Amino acid sequence: MYRTIRKLAGPSRLKLSTPTWSSTSTTKPAFIALRRCYATAQLDLPALDRTWRQRWNDDRLKAGSPIEPSNHERDVAQNPADHMYILSMFPYPSGKLHLGHLRVYTIVDAIARYHRLRGRDVLLPMGWDAFGLPAENAAIERGIDPAEWTRDNIARMKEQLELMNGTFDWSKELSTCDPDFYKHTQKLFLLLHQLGLVTRQNAVVNWDPIDKTVLANEQVDSEGRSWRSGAKVEQRPLEQWFFRITEFKEALLRDLDELAKENCWPERVLAMQKNWLGRTTGARYRFPLTAENQSQLRGIEDLEIYTSRPETIFAVQFIAISPSSKLARDLANSDPKILEYLNTLDDGAEGNMQGYRIPYIQAHNPVSRAGPEYSSQTMPLPVYIAPYVRGDYETGAIMGVPAHDARDFSFWEQNSASGEIKYALTPDPTGAYAKMDGPYIESGYMTELAGKYSQRPSDEVVEAIVEQIQNKTNLAELRIKWKLRDWLISRQRYWGTPIPIIHCESCGPQPVPDDQLPVELPKIDHHRAGGRAGNPLEAATDWVHTSCPKCQGPAKRDTDTMDTFVDSSWYYMRFTDPHNKENPISEVAARTRLPVDIYIGGVEHAILHLLYARFFYKAIMGHLYPKDKKGTTRNVNEPLRESSYEPFKRLITQGMVHGKTYIDPDSGRFLKPDEVDLSNPLEPRLVASGKVALIRYEKMSKSKHNGVDPSTFILKHGADATRAHILFQAPVAEVLNWDDDKIAGILRWLRRVYDYVQTLAATVQNSTDNLTSFDGKTYFAKTEDELNVLDKEQATQWEDSMAVWRTVQESIPSITASYDKVYSLNTVVSTLMSLTNAILEKPGASLPVRLAATAELVRLMAPIAPSFAEECWSILRPNAGMLFGAARTLQWPVPDGSLPLLKVRSMKCTVAVNGRKRCIVDIPLKPASIEDGAALEAWITEQILKTPEAQERLGTPENDIRKATKAFVMKGAKGVNYMVPKP
């Protein structure tokens, strides 16, 4: 009956010639037999990867060589509106990709391929964050050149990236340790220096005693340890280079509001940026002091304090000064009791809440003089010496507000006789408050203590309160404080960009002339051979000694190198113009390609890297090219510090990948693979004891023995199955718990699609129908009269065809929206699986519909499974060209407008008699003119009785629904229960 199966292109490409049979036939046995025959065909996904990577590469070479520098500006200037710049955070070349890398690169590549299929000119570059301590330390351990170590690692990781079917533009590849790159890093340093945004100053800095280098504040954790070595950081005075990032603090904060619009940046990241900038509105208040004898005040008339909660001024109940403050020391000189109290305190007294009230000194709340409505505030305030008040913070004195500060509350409880608490804020919008058990430390609404500010939101009245007190009494001053500090970029290490400054005793620090850039790192061997950390540049005398570019006298090069965050603060700019020898980036590239449209990376970079990149972009682009992407010129009178430029339009943060970890239930020890018996994966047991091991998903690490080699996994299952598995297991932003076994479901799905494509292609070959194009809107535009003349077989085929095409038309916008949103890529795979089921479960649909539906399925899955989709596409549409060829063509499916024509004409209705189900019948959809009640019962009964199933199952007297005394119709007429009296 069947002809011979012939191999077309290796084991994965099979073609079957079949007997001619009508495309409208619903004879299922032949179809099923045909499909079973094809199920024996081999699907070799790794082989498909190799085949299509080669074909894509050949097609690119045929289309022309990568863009030459001379043609670059012409290239980027074409159709700038169609350009799409998609970027993942570039990796440090450790030498081995891990699953976290694979996840982010799968996401970024799928999104890039999607936009390419939409006809956009996508830039998806890749490079290497190649400078830094890890490479230098690894080279010292091995006694080799860090350049050699880095170069070898890049080669290995590039090979791994090739395996994942990525579509990175390697003609744009860059490495931050390449002199061609860091020449421009040095140029940008000198530009910032020229703009007054670089300073060199003495500062007490964080010194890592193991890595022997300075660390920025951001690189020291909350316990005072280095982010790299883990060593306890020391404080040393050194002369260092700083970028004046604080000059941009207002713009850095203000523009977060723009990035928050339409969820362009994750709320979590915006909050972290805001917290790091740390803008707080506080106030300096002066509390007048009085004493029994004014000489006791030692000439101090007012006690100045700083508070970050100015609105709580109405609830001040005491004043506290630090034991180490000048006032406390001066009082101790003449007051033996105060001296005795101070002598009882030790260095760890910060947690001591036992204070000393100075009996002869009182303070007065400045708000009492701000207007007659605050007459209740005229009572004098006691003054305490309190160990918990720090002498090195602000003025060494605080206003005690027990109602709104936890430490003040504890102090007041221990030192006040009355224990009365006055609340200036309440969570109640009416301003009322009941007695609370403790301090209320959140924002809220002002109470009646605040006079005219009562019931107003506390955050909104801060400035007004301070200004009123200042205007009335001159005892207040509004203060804005920032947590952000200038960026310390000096590093006393070798493997980094040399700072392009020459120090001359006569002329001072001088910039290296442009024609002498780059200042290249000298080759040094003795330092690594000795295994020593620190900065070998200081001992490289031939390199250090040079001449002053200004007076030509003897001078020395700066031996510090730049923090590697400097490289990552502008690399995304260079990707758009990587071959430009004269400038970091040309104006046409900046205007056409920047800012980055979609930036994807880990949330661990939410503060440092993103903050520094935003600063660099504002400073550099705001100066070099004061025109935005639309060509609008920035106001020349606008200060550079007010630059509104942002480098990344949209930020996507992906979750981590955790590995399955096996744990000894007795000791809690992480088990090695050979210590676990996985013959029953659902019940892993210890080989030694037979006990059931605990399973937990943990961050992948060598110590937990839960790492997975991405290359090994891809070579076994294929890149496309691996990509689909990664995306399907979890939403992009959430943690992915990696489980090797779960890829089985993905493999089954791909095999089903592949088998069906092979079968369908054989059917198409033997069909006489014209299948070159399909227009659903035309195909399904049949009149009611045309549908009414269809026989049963034709009507069944029509309904099946409508069901298939309806699912296609509903899937296209759903999948498109998920690709656009990015975060819901996991739903793309699930929707594709549902679409596959809809196609396969309706074999009676017409051949044109099945072919068009399968072609749409293949294109919709192409961004996730590119080589698999290319193979299926070449089988279904052998003359249509490649999906991912070098030519940029529109290949993305769009709804064809047929959905209104694809309304369901019937529905399933469950019929029950006296509570027992009797049959399920197909009835027409309920007309809108039929209302609930008796009319609906009559209509649905009439429709049920017309069906063959009802006539067969309801023909007996006990099931005669026409005699029902009552009918209960389910919502939507999905079922009806008839109450029929017994005969």
Side-chain angles (χ1 to χ4, degrees), residues 732-775:
V732 166
E734 295 182 9
V735 170
L736 167 59
N737 289 328
W738 180 265
D739 189 337
D740 291 6
D741 299 332
K742 289 183 179 178
I743 199 171
I746 295 292
L747 293 171
R748 284 194 299 270
W749 168 55
L750 294 178
R751 179 57 186 262
R752 292 179 71 209
V753 173
Y754 182 73
D755 288 347
Y756 186 75
V757 165
Q758 295 279 8
T759 303
L760 190 61
T763 306
V764 169
Q765 185 184 26
N766 290 277
S767 173
T768 58
D769 291 354
N770 180 10
L771 302 171
T772 55
S773 62
F774 180 82
D775 179 7

Side-chain angles (χ1 to χ4, degrees), residues 67-75 579:
I67 300 166
E68 296 296 330
S70 58
N71 297 328
H72 176 74
E73 293 196 0
R74 183 187 65 203
D75 170 72
H579 306 295

Side-chain angles (χ1 to χ4, degrees), residues 14-44:
L14 302 176
K15 185 176 180 181
L16 180 64
S17 298
T18 62
T20 303
W21 57 295
S22 170
S23 63
T24 60
S25 173
T26 58
T27 306
K28 296 182 181 180
F31 183 88
I32 293 172
L34 182 65
R35 189 167 58 183
R36 285 174 181 166
C37 184
Y38 265 101
T40 63
Q42 178 185 1
L43 174 59
D44 188 341

Side-chain angles (χ1 to χ4, degrees), residues 2 9 88 256 335 480 554 558 671 729-730 926 940:
Y2 300 110
S88 58
L256 291 176
D335 189 330
I480 305 298
D558 198 302
L671 300 172
Q729 290 305 304
K926 182 181 80 69
I940 198 170

Side-chain angles (χ1 to χ4, degrees), residues 23-26 774-806 842-850 898 900-906:
S23 63
T24 60
S25 173
T26 58
F774 180 82
D775 179 7
K777 198 170 184 180
T778 301
Y779 186 89
F780 290 102
K782 287 187 180 295
T783 65
E784 196 68 26
D785 290 340
E786 290 176 302
L787 294 175
N788 289 335
V789 299
L790 297 178
D791 59 28
K792 181 178 179 181
E793 185 174 296
Q794 291 171 330
T796 300
Q797 184 186 70
W798 181 257
E799 292 296 333
D800 285 354
S801 298
M802 287 182 64
V804 169
W805 199 246
R806 184 186 311 113
K842 296 293 183 181
S846 70
L847 180 58
V849 169
R850 286 187 284 120
S898 63
L901 305 174
L902 303 174
K903 295 179 180 177
V904 179
R905 303 179 70 235
S906 65

